[in-house]
Amino acid sequence: SDASQFLPKFARSAWVTRFLPTLYAYLGSLNKPWELSEPGSDEVQTIQMLIDIVYPQSGYKVQLNDKIYNMRAYFGRQAIKVVATHFNSPEFAGNHVAIAKYASWATRHNGPGIWKVPTPVDCTYPEDSIYYIKPREIFQSPFVISVLTSFIKWCKGSCFDFGYPKGALGMAAGGVERAFLMYKTGKQEDIGNYTREKMGGMIDDYIASAEGLSKRRWMRILESCGAQFQQDQDIRVEAPSMERKRRILHEPSSPIVSADEPGSD
């Protein structure tokens, strides 16, 4: 059924094309994406702010029981689908040993769960060794990008630029890690729901790392999702097991290489 039929008349025409993209863009930008709909939160004030942005002449006042769409569960569900598709490929084809090995690699702090070019699975040198191979292209693994892409598309048409979607990126990365943890034995196992109680610390760690990304890194991530965002500001704040490293994941930006120099991309 069409949910817009239950909306105030002024909101119906632009609900899908303007309000929902603005809502998603706002939720995706939050440092604490869990807190908006919790008791004691500023949910009413937040939705009122968005209503005023999208429908500035409406004069509508949001009530406490107004419906807000919860996008958090999407990241958990979609990550499971993406990882399951990966393990259904001919490369694995029911090979539980191979699946378990890859899942263990993917949940390393330098593994393919998060990095586009991970540290090789057989590279076990310490990070300060000259033989250690550093991972490259953080948060650009095909798994994270696949989960994040649909969300970015839903934000198209937002009436306001809330900044980089660090909350969405953190939830996508957390969803991917959780999905791989489900396969640590080589078979998919239930490890709990995608809730704040189960996932809050993990998501907070990834968002902390996302806050440290440079403008250039954000542009690469968003472009990988098919987005063409124009961001004027740069974000500056603050790479064993993922649990001990995910909050401080980072990749130092290299000097910009001229297009005609070797190694340019």
Side-chain angles (χ1 to χ4, degrees), residues 172-191:
V176 168
E177 181 179 344
R178 170 176 172 266
F180 275 116
L181 287 171
M182 296 173 71
Y183 286 90
K184 290 298 284 285
T185 65
K187 299 180 180 180
Q188 187 184 97
E189 297 183 351
D190 186 3
I191 60 172

Side-chain angles (χ1 to χ4, degrees), residues 157-170:
S158 173
C159 297
F160 192 83
D161 182 358
F162 296 101
Y164 297 119
K166 49 190 177 295
L169 180 59

Side-chain angles (χ1 to χ4, degrees), residues 138-139 169 209-215 217-218 221 234-235:
I138 190 172
F139 292 127
L169 180 59
S209 285
E211 288 183 318
L213 297 176
S214 68
K215 177 180 178 179
R217 189 68 57 196
W218 270 113
I221 293 170
D234 200 354
I235 294 180

Side-chain angles (χ1 to χ4, degrees), residues 224-238:
S224 295
C225 294
Q228 295 182 358
F229 286 24
Q230 295 297 323
Q231 297 282 0
D232 294 326
Q233 76 276 21
D234 200 354
I235 294 180
R236 302 175 185 275
V237 291
E238 344 236 283

Side-chain angles (χ1 to χ4, degrees), residues 85-112:
T85 298
H86 178 71
F87 285 140
N88 285 332
S89 66
E91 178 183 356
F92 297 98
N95 185 332
H96 301 311
V97 173
I99 291 173
K101 182 177 180 180
Y102 191 95
S104 179
W105 180 31
T107 52
R108 281 165 35 179
H109 75 284
N110 53 12

Side-chain angles (χ1 to χ4, degrees), residues 192-210:
N193 294 328
Y194 192 85
T195 62
R196 180 176 185 176
E197 290 71 27
K198 294 283 187 179
M199 300 289 298
M202 181 188 295
I203 302 302
D204 289 346
D205 287 347
Y206 279 124
I207 292 175
S209 285

Side-chain angles (χ1 to χ4, degrees), residues 15-30:
W15 180 254
V16 173
T17 58
R18 298 180 64 196
F19 182 78
L20 288 182
T22 305
L23 173 62
Y24 299 153
Y26 174 76
L27 293 176
S29 72
L30 295 177

